[in-house]
C-alpha cells in the first residue's frame, strides 16, 4: 500500500474567539489501483480547466471536492485523520509537553555510551527543544496518525486485500527542496516514538484475516515479548501476541516528496482540506457528504480530536458536531 500524508491548518493558537482546527491526514491507496487512480485524477483535474499541474484542496468548490472523494471511494482508498482545535489548547501545556518529550531523548544516555552517540543524541534533543510549537504539535499528531494507519490499515487489508500488506510505502509532503532539520529530527525519533506506543497498546489482529504477506516482512507471530523492551501494560509477562518490526514498517520505504510532482500528495491535500473545511463550516454538505465512506473506525469513532490543555476539556467542539455526525454516519468498521 501507498500512504500519502499532508497537513491542513497552521497549528497556532488563534486570537479569541476564532477557531483554528489543525489536522494531519493520511490517504491510503492500494498499490493495485494507484496507476489507474492517477490517470483518472489527471483527467478529472484537466476537466476543471486551468493549466496548473498542482491543485490545492482549499481552492476547490463543492462539486470538485465531491468528484474527488467519489473517485477515491470507487478505487477503494482509505482516509485517516488526527486533529486538534488550537483555540482550546494551552500554550503552557504544550511547552511543558515539548520539554518533557525532549528530556526523554537523553534519559537513558550515560557516559558508558560512545561519545559520538552522546553528541548526536544531545544535538537531537536540542533540535526538539528549539522546534517551534506548531511544528512540535504537528509531529505529535503525525506520530499518532502513523500509529493509527499501521493498526487499522493492517486489519482492513487482512480482510480485504492481503497482498497490500506486503509493503508500507510512506510519502510525506516535504516543505522544502531539501529535508528540513525538523523533518530529519522527527524521522530519527519516529521509530522510537512508535515503539513506545506499541508497548502501551500492542498490535491486534482478527482471526479471519490473512496476515501471510504482513508476517513475512513485518511481524513475528506467537513470540514472547523481547527481554530488552519494557513489558506492555495490556499483556501478561508470558502471554503471546504480535510483535511488529517497526523499523521495517516505517523506514523500508519512507520519503519526503514535493507535492507538485506527486498526484497522491495532491489527493491527500484535497481530502485533508475537505475534512477541515467541513468541520469549520467552510464547505457545504454536498462537498463532503461521502467523506465518511473513506474512513474506518476500530473504536466507536473514526474522528480523533486531540487536546493539549491541563483539564482535557472538549468545550467548544459542539459547533463541529453536525459535520462530524455526518462523516461518522458514513464510516465503516475496520475490515468491513
Amino acid at each position: 500500500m501507498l500512504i500519502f500524508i499532508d497537513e491542513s491548518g497552521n497549528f497556532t493558537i488563534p486570537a479569541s474567539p476564532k477557531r483554528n482546527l489543525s489536522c494531519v491526514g493520511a490517504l491510503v491507496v492500494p498499490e493495485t489501483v494507484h496507476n489507474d487512480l492517477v490517470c483518472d485524477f489527471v483527467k478529472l483535474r484537466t476537466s476543471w480547466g486551468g493549466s496548473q499541474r498542482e491543485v490545492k484542496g482549499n481552492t476547490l468548490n463543492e462539486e470538485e471536492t465531491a468528484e474527488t472523494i467519489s473517485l477515491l471511494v470507487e478505487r477503494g482508498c482509505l482516509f485517516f485523520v488526527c486533529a486538534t482545535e488550537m483555540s482550546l489548547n494551552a500554550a503552557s501545556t504544550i511547552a511543558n509537553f515539548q520539554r518533557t518529550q525532549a528530556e526523554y531523548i537523553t534519559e537513558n544516555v550515560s557516559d558508558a555510551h560512545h561519545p559520538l552517540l552522546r553528541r548526536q543524541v544531545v544535538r537531537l534533543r536540542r533540535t526538539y527543544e528549539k522546534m517551534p510549537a506548531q511544528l512540535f504539535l504537528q509531529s505529535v499528531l503525525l506520530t499518532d496518525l502513523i500509529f493509527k494507519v499501521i493498526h487499522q490499515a493492517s486489519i482492513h487489508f487482512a480482510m480485504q486485500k492481503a497482498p497490500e500488506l506486503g509493503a508500507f510505502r510512506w510519502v510525506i509532503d516535504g516543505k522544502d527542496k531539501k529535508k528540513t532539520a525538523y523533518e530529519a529530527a522527527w524521522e530519527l525519533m519516529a521509530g522510537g516514538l512508535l515503539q513506545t506506543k506499541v508497548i502501551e497498546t500492542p498490535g491486534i489482529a482478527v482471526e479471519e484475516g490473512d496476515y501471510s504477506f504482513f508476517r513475512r516482512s513485518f511481524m513475528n507471530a506467537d513470540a514472547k515479548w523481547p527481554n530488552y523492551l519494557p513489558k506492555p501494560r495490556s499483556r501478561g509477562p508470558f502471554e503471546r501476541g504480535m510483535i511488529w518490526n517497526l523499523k521495517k514498517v516505517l523506514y523500508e520505504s519512507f520519503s519526503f516528496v514535493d507535492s507538485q510532482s506527486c498526484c497522491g500528495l495532491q489527493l491527500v491535500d484535497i481530502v485533508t482540506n475537505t475534512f477541515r473545511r467541513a468541520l469549520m463550516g467552510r464547505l457545504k454538505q454536498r462537498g463532503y457528504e461521502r467523506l465518511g465512506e473513506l474512513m474506518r473506525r476500530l473504536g466507536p469513532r473514526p474522528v480523533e480530536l486531540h487536546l493539549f490543555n491541563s483539564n482535557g476539556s472538549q468545550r467548544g467542539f459542539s459547533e463541529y458536531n453536525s459535520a462530524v455526525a455526518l462523516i461518522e454516519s458514513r464510516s465503516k468498521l475496520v475490515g468491513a
Side-chain angles (χ1 to χ4, degrees), residues 44 101 111 162 176 186 197 207 234 266:
L44 181 61
Q101 293 301 302
D111 292 340
D176 208 335
W186 176 84
K197 288 184 173 295
E207 291 185 1
S234 59
Q266 294 178 38

Side-chain angles (χ1 to χ4, degrees), residues 24-221:
V24 184
L27 179 67
V28 179
V29 178
E31 287 202 57
T32 52
V33 307
H34 176 259
N35 291 343
D36 289 337
L37 174 64
V38 170
C39 290
D40 290 343
F41 175 60
V42 170
K43 292 178 183 177
L44 181 61
R45 187 177 63 188
T46 302
S47 72
W48 296 335
S51 58
Q52 57 187 21
R53 290 180 55 195
E54 181 178 11
V55 295
K56 291 292 185 181
N58 58 9
T59 66
L60 301 186
N61 60 37
E62 280 79 12
E63 187 63 30
E64 292 165 343
T65 300
E67 289 176 337
T68 304
I69 292 175
S70 293
L71 172 61
L72 295 172
V73 171
E74 291 162 7
R75 288 298 184 183
C77 300
L78 304 176
F79 176 63
F80 299 93
V81 65
C82 289
T84 183
E85 172 46 58
M86 291 302 302
S87 66
L88 301 181
N89 291 333
S92 58
T93 302
I94 295 171
N96 289 336
F97 184 38
Q98 182 171 353
R99 182 172 58 253
T100 300
Q101 293 301 302
E103 290 171 353
Y104 284 153
I105 296 174
T106 56
E107 184 177 37
N108 296 315
V109 177
S110 67
D111 292 340
H113 290 89
H114 192 281
L116 178 59
L117 175 62
R118 295 203 305 270
R119 288 195 296 271
Q120 289 175 333
V121 172
V122 169
R123 187 161 54 246
L124 182 60
R125 172 176 171 173
R126 296 290 178 258
T127 300
Y128 252 70
E129 290 173 336
K130 295 176 181 178
M131 187 180 292
Q134 61 266 35
L135 291 180
F136 171 71
L137 283 188
Q138 185 178 323
S139 72
V140 171
L141 263 64
L142 174 57
T143 305
D144 288 345
L145 177 68
I146 289 178
F147 180 67
K148 185 177 182 180
V149 170
I150 293 173
H151 263 84
Q152 298 191 22
S154 62
I155 296 174
H156 174 81
F157 287 116
M159 296 293 291
Q160 300 287 342
K161 295 181 179 180
E164 294 293 336
L165 292 177
F168 286 74
R169 308 192 192 282
W170 307 91
V171 183
I172 299 181
D173 186 20
K175 299 311 172 189
D176 208 335
K177 292 182 178 180
K178 293 183 178 180
K179 191 183 303 181
T180 68
Y182 302 117
E183 288 171 341
W186 176 84
E187 186 177 356
L188 284 172
M189 287 291 296
L193 294 171
L194 287 170
Q195 179 177 279
T196 299
K197 288 184 173 295
V198 170
I199 289 174
E200 294 297 319
T201 310
I204 63 173
V206 289
E207 291 185 1
E208 302 87 351
D210 178 359
Y211 290 90
S212 56
F213 293 88
F214 189 49
R215 185 176 294 110
R216 290 173 197 168
S217 300
F218 306 119
M219 184 176 72
N220 295 321

Side-chain angles (χ1 to χ4, degrees), residues 273-283 288 291 320 323 327:
N273 269 284
T274 296
F275 175 83
R276 183 173 188 259
R277 293 167 69 194
L279 266 63
M280 297 191 74
R282 299 175 181 176
L283 191 68
Y288 69 91
L291 179 60
Y320 299 151
I327 292 170

